Amino acid sequence: MFVHEYQAKKLLKRFGFYFPDGEVAHSAGEARALIDRLSGDEWVVKAQILAGDRGRFGGIRKADSASDVEKETRNLLGSTLVTPQTGADGIKVNTVYIEQAVKIECELYLAILLDRYQRELVLLASQRGGTGIETALEDAPDTLHRLTLSVDEAPDEAVLLGLADKMGLSGELVNDYVDTCSNLHRAVNELDALSIELNPLAVVEDNRLATLDVKMEIDDNALFRHDEYSEIRERNRLHDRKFRAQSGFNYVQLEGNIGLLVGGAGLALATMDLLKLHQLEPANFLDLPPIATRQDVANACQTVLQGASVDALFVNAVGGGLTHCDTIAEGLITVHMQEKIRCPIVVRFAGTKREHGLTLLKNYRVPIEHAETMDEAIDILRRKNRR
Ligand code: ADP
Ligand code: MG
């Protein structure tokens, strides 16, 4: 699960990071009203979308008065931001974060991510932080420093002191940097994050480090361990229909009430045609990639179910390619164990591991209606259809 900048900043607060004063707004009026509560006399209005590179594409606006903040909020809310990370359709802005603007001396990059294969954490640090880090690193790859950290043990202070030196820091900033790295290590562990990226981590006025932007991905398998995540998840689901679909699925939002989880775009289109032929309307469809893992299927299923209008779920899959029916069944089981699927589920499996998939669903008591054929599936859906 990816979280918005403002959510990440809130989650990180207790670990001792310094952030400029900031608050969230969902309307221009709300934005104007909250300025009195924020320090400073200049602010940035920051579009909250689950994609980066907002700065270069109009998603970060400076404002030096309450009316300016109100104006920029009005401009951003409801607009669609297109950045290299959003895809061509862009993402609609529903929320802004209004933050005190700070004077920046220099911008660093600092991130810790989990390397699943090596079972260790990797710290990445560069002096060339801020907007355009990717191209900066392409031009000068040796400015990216990489450290391997143990998951369980706190990072070695001497190593971090060496890193602070490589960042060109001196005086008070050295300890500030070492603390920031240690805090980040602790945060990744305690928040069950797969990655946390501070970019920029900026040297600002008063010679201190301020975290101006955070990108964070939480391990979906650990969501249940943190009460605070369920609210974030619900909120993001409501506001960002593409929330999970951003992870590379082909997801299309439609107007009807039947959620479609289908293996393959061709089958998805055929399924939609068949539904329509019988006056059934798809709420959306999600085409599973040819190589989907159990977790991919679970995420896909949650994406399809997130639409408030979904009255029934139709899983139509041919276990061909590399994703077999049992993997799809495991994905459904994962979702069922996490949150109990409340709507009717019609499953039609064909192809490899069909029997095994159906047995798994039965053993785990996922309340599905099994259809042998597409026609049978349509019959069940028509019976269940509440519209
Ligand atoms: P993105 O990474 O999506 O472009 P950032 O939050 O990193 O968005 O903002 C882009 C740039 O805007 C930063 O590199 C920084 O230069 C500037 N910026 C962001 N927040 C502030 C702030 N509170 N005060 C001053 N400048 C800021
Ligand atoms: Mg950034």
Side-chain angles (χ1 to χ4, degrees):
M1 171 176 85
F2 288 96
V3 304
H4 286 291
E5 173 196 2
Y6 78 92
Q7 293 164 330
K9 285 180 171 172
K10 195 166 161 208
L11 288 168
L12 286 181
K13 204 128 207 179
R14 70 180 154 100
F15 295 95
F17 294 93
Y18 165 63
F19 305 107
D21 237 5
E23 281 197 45
V24 169
H26 299 96
S27 73
E30 202 183 336
R32 189 186 184 113
L34 64 79
I35 281 303
D36 289 342
R37 301 197 293 272
L38 292 184
S39 331
D41 47 20
E42 207 182 354
W43 302 274
V44 276
V45 181
K46 312 182 81 176
Q48 298 301 291
I49 56 168
L50 294 173
D53 223 351
R54 298 162 300 168
R56 286 198 299 157
F57 294 85
I60 312 281
R61 315 275 179 98
K62 278 240 162 94
D64 59 8
S65 66
S67 61
D68 229 17
V69 166
E70 185 180 346
K71 188 181 89 194
E72 294 300 354
T73 303
R74 185 169 292 120
N75 288 340
L76 278 176
L77 286 177
S79 72
T80 298
L81 264 192
V82 183
T83 84
Q85 298 180 23
T86 59
D89 290 347
I91 301 179
K92 191 169 161 206
V93 182
N94 295 302
T95 307
V96 295
Y97 186 60
I98 299 170
E99 190 173 68
Q100 178 194 356
V102 288
K103 289 207 178 57
I104 300 172
E105 312 266 330
C106 80
E107 300 190 320
L108 307 173
Y109 174 91
L110 179 65
I112 294 184
L113 17 136
L114 178 69
D115 182 336
R116 285 176 197 256
Y117 299 102
Q118 301 298 328
R119 298 182 180 209
E120 31 182 54
L121 294 172
V122 178
L123 180 149
L124 298 174
S126 174
Q127 237 180 317
R128 304 207 173 187
T131 301
I133 171 96
E134 295 84 0
T135 40
L137 291 177
E138 265 171 32
D139 295 345
D142 51 334
T143 55
L144 182 70
H145 301 275
R146 190 188 158 100
L147 283 182
T148 303
L149 303 179
S150 146
V151 175
D152 313 309
E153 286 162 46
D156 185 73
E157 196 175 316
V159 175
L160 296 181
L161 283 169
L163 194 63
D165 188 48
K166 286 183 183 142
M167 294 299 116
L169 300 173
S170 58
E172 307 253 302
L173 287 169
V174 172
N175 282 335
D176 204 352
Y177 190 78
V178 169
D179 287 347
T180 304
C181 293
S182 302
N183 292 341
L184 190 59
H185 178 265
R186 207 159 53 83
V188 166
N189 272 320
E190 288 183 27
L191 295 172
D192 281 317
L194 295 175
S195 65
I196 304 180
E197 184 184 72
L198 314 181
N199 185 37
L201 171 68
V203 178
V204 298
E205 51 208 316
D206 302 333
N207 208 32
R208 67 191 302 193
L209 289 172
T211 299
L212 299 188
D213 187 19
V214 186
K215 300 237 161 13
M216 188 189 296
E217 184 179 7
I218 306 290
D219 187 344
D220 285 338
N221 295 311
L223 293 182
F224 72 97
R225 296 214 294 213
H226 304 261
D227 290 342
E228 56 203 346
Y229 291 160
S230 53
E231 194 202 320
I232 291 179
R233 189 163 173 220
E234 277 317 302
R235 178 171 286 279
N236 293 357
R237 257 196 219 191
L238 278 178
H239 288 290
D240 299 287
R241 295 200 148 184
K242 288 190 173 174
F243 177 45
R244 280 173 183 280
Q246 276 163 11
S247 49
F249 299 130
N250 203 351
Y251 172 79
V252 178
Q253 181 74 37
L254 298 158
E255 306 285 307
N257 64 334
I258 295 172
L260 284 182
L261 183 61
V262 183
L267 185 58
L269 293 177
T271 309
M272 283 207 294
D273 280 351
L274 202 61
L275 286 180
K276 291 217 167 236
L277 195 67
H278 293 90
Q279 287 80 47
L280 295 168
E281 293 291 334
N284 50 36
F285 79 78
L286 192 149
D287 156 28
L288 284 170
I291 311 175
T293 61
R294 173 184 59 80
Q295 190 59 46
D296 289 336
V297 177
N299 291 347
C301 181
Q302 281 166 326
T303 303
V304 170
L305 290 172
Q306 83 196 0
S309 60
V310 173
D311 291 335
L313 173 67
F314 181 20
V315 181
N316 190 9
V318 178
L322 291 166
T323 305
H324 301 158
C325 293
D326 54 348
T327 306
I328 297 172
E330 284 169 1
L332 294 178
I333 292 164
T334 304
V335 178
H336 176 67
M337 307 252 278
Q338 273 173 14
E339 55 186 71
K340 296 271 179 272
I341 307 174
R342 293 189 200 290
C343 65
I345 313 164
V346 181
V347 173
R348 180 237 164 195
F349 279 163
T352 315
K353 299 278 175 123
R354 171 183 178 276
E355 294 308 325
H356 187 222
L358 291 171
T359 307
L360 286 174
L361 289 171
K362 196 166 155 211
N363 289 352
Y364 281 86
R365 298 200 166 79
V366 185
I368 61 146
E369 300 247 2
H370 170 232
E372 284 287 342
T373 61
M374 298 264 272
D375 287 339
E376 203 177 315
I378 294 290
D379 278 348
I380 303 173
L381 287 166
R382 287 183 70 183
R383 258 192 288 123
K384 301 273 172 194
N385 192 24
R386 292 206 249 128
R387 283 199 183 169

